[in-house]
Amino acid sequence: MHHHGYLWTGPKSRFDQEALRRPPHPEPPPPGSRPELIQRYHEVAAAFPTSDLPPLETAYWLVKPHALVRGTWDEAKDAAAWLAERLAEFVPRFGSEVRRDAGQLDRHVTCAAERLRSGADVTLGFYLERPSYLSLSLVTCSPNRDQPGLQCPLPS
């Protein structure tokens, strides 16, 4: 088991494009469906795996390009340390004073390490200077507990 780190920042309006953050349904629309439904399905099926937008379900980071992986760690504590470093890097830009609380940030990191040790994934999101957003994810791999059929993004 190992863990991959992902980081995304960008306009909140882009983050809110949920259709591009949701994997396509495993089955395409049936024959005879409205043309716009078929077209939309093909657009999402093509865009989802290559989009840098954070997926709605954390495990689906694993289907994204390997280039989006910001780090890989065998130990949960090392992945949590990366998370702590990213929080320290971005905390001055957090949109809320409350979110900057050092104790709260330490609890996020401690909880993340515990979750990763148990085989779970972690995702945190923060509003930055408006209208920006920060998404940080740590995904457990080989296999992923929530989506065991997803392949590791590391090159073989």
Side-chain angles (χ1 to χ4, degrees):
M1 181 170 72
H2 57 271
H3 315 281
H4 300 295
Y6 297 88
L7 180 149
W8 181 87
T9 59
K12 178 71 168 82
S13 59
R14 185 157 182 259
F15 182 80
D16 289 341
Q17 294 175 340
E18 288 192 11
L20 296 177
R21 297 180 55 217
R22 184 182 320 276
H25 191 275
E27 298 292 324
S33 295
R34 294 187 334 261
E36 61 272 10
L37 180 63
I38 294 169
Q39 178 182 352
R40 183 68 182 143
Y41 174 83
H42 289 295
E43 288 171 359
V44 170
F48 178 78
T50 60
S51 168
D52 69 338
L53 283 170
L56 290 176
E57 292 179 58
T58 304
Y60 280 97
W61 272 115
L62 298 176
V63 304
K64 303 288 186 164
H66 175 259
L68 296 177
V69 175
R70 299 293 183 103
T72 299
W73 307 270
D74 291 328
E75 299 293 329
K77 66 178 175 50
D78 297 330
W82 174 83
L83 180 66
E85 291 166 5
R86 297 299 69 77
L87 290 172
E89 176 184 343
F90 281 92
V91 73
R93 295 180 52 200
F94 284 6
S96 164
E97 222 23 76
V98 173
R99 297 294 235 153
R100 295 180 188 144
D101 176 67
Q104 182 182 36
L105 296 173
D106 288 343
R107 285 188 294 279
H108 284 312
V109 173
T110 300
C111 181
E114 291 170 8
R115 289 184 54 78
L116 292 170
R117 275 192 292 278
S118 76
D121 300 328
V122 174
T123 292
L124 298 174
F126 300 91
Y127 286 99
L128 302 175
E129 303 94 6
R130 293 192 187 253
S132 294
Y133 194 77
L134 166 68
S135 174
L136 295 163
S137 295
L138 292 165
V139 183
T140 301
C141 190
S142 296
N144 183 273
R145 184 168 77 183
D146 293 331
Q147 296 288 338
L150 295 180
Q151 299 297 312
C152 181
L154 287 178
S156 299

